Amino acid sequence: MFRVVLAGALLCALAFAHARPQFALRDTRNVLHSSEEWNGKRAIVVFFTTTDCPLSNNEVPEMNRTRRDYEARGVAFYAVQADTTIAAADVVQHAKEYQFSLPVLFDPHQILAKMTGATTIPSAAVLAPDGTLLYLGRVDNRVEDFNIRRPEPTKFDLREALDAVLAGKPVTHPRTNAFGCAISVK
């Protein structure tokens, strides 16, 4: 009897651990987004950014290009304002100024940062539709380290991860080092 109860509790715990997170987050255009949008997608990309980070601001054009190149292949894209202390009006203005083509979400309880384990701005996470983390790290190698910056990237880590996921293969490097500011998770 004890084994059956223990096995049942373990199965419940495992099911909960792999359950897709439930959330409803507004974007800078006041559109509500939820994990239900992930239904039927092949992958989900979450880009962690903030208004005053030059490193993440430099990645916005690449994120827009990546969305353009992969969205039709079943990939959903979101940017997340990772600094919860920035005023909403500033985030709205920033999204317009930098011409984000992906929704910029407000996540005041840091649901997505906690779920992915993201600790750095800028960084990107690739998720399966059930919320399983498939990749976490840098978008590309434009910034290799705090003192090593390239005018143009030579390696596109996020794109490589997406190509693997879409091909049904494991991501070769599921974690890469992202350099920038720390995400202060509460």
Side-chain angles (χ1 to χ4, degrees):
M1 174 72 168
F2 177 71
R3 285 184 187 161
V4 172
V5 172
L6 183 59
L10 181 59
L11 287 175
C12 274
L14 288 174
F16 180 74
H18 293 291
R20 178 172 55 192
Q22 299 300 309
F23 62 85
L25 302 173
R26 294 217 177 266
D27 70 15
T28 55
R29 295 181 177 160
N30 205 31
V31 174
L32 190 63
H33 297 272
S34 75
S35 59
E36 296 304 311
E37 295 175 359
W38 300 0
N39 292 336
K41 297 297 181 186
R42 296 179 68 198
I44 294 84
V45 173
V46 180
F47 174 60
F48 295 93
T49 186
T50 192
T51 60
D52 59 354
C53 176
L55 298 177
S56 68
N57 291 339
N58 286 340
E59 292 292 0
V60 173
E62 175 58 19
M63 287 305 303
N64 287 340
R65 285 189 294 272
T66 304
R67 185 211 47 84
R68 181 196 67 218
D69 295 344
Y70 288 86
E71 189 172 57
R73 296 172 64 191
V75 180
F77 286 83
Y78 305 90
V80 174
Q81 172 58 40
D83 184 344
T84 61
T85 66
I86 306 291
D90 293 341
V91 178
V92 170
Q93 179 59 36
H94 179 259
K96 286 178 188 173
E97 182 180 329
Y98 281 87
Q99 300 176 347
F100 277 84
S101 67
L102 46 154
V104 179
L105 305 178
F106 295 101
D107 189 0
H109 301 290
Q110 299 176 309
I111 295 165
L112 295 172
K114 290 173 186 172
M115 183 186 94
T116 61
T119 59
T120 307
I121 302 167
S123 62
V126 177
L127 305 166
D130 68 358
T132 302
L133 181 65
L134 304 172
Y135 171 79
L136 178 63
R138 65 190 185 185
V139 173
D140 55 40
N141 72 344
R142 182 183 310 265
V143 178
E144 190 76 32
D145 200 342
F146 289 110
N147 297 323
I148 303 173
R149 296 182 186 180
R150 294 179 176 82
E152 295 296 323
T154 59
K155 185 167 176 50
F156 294 87
D157 304 273
L158 174 59
R159 286 174 177 266
E160 289 175 14
L162 286 171
D163 289 339
V165 169
L166 295 175
K169 298 178 181 175
V171 176
T172 305
H173 302 287
R175 301 278 173 136
T176 59
N177 290 329
F179 294 94
C181 298
I183 295 174
S184 240
V185 179
K186 298 172 188 169

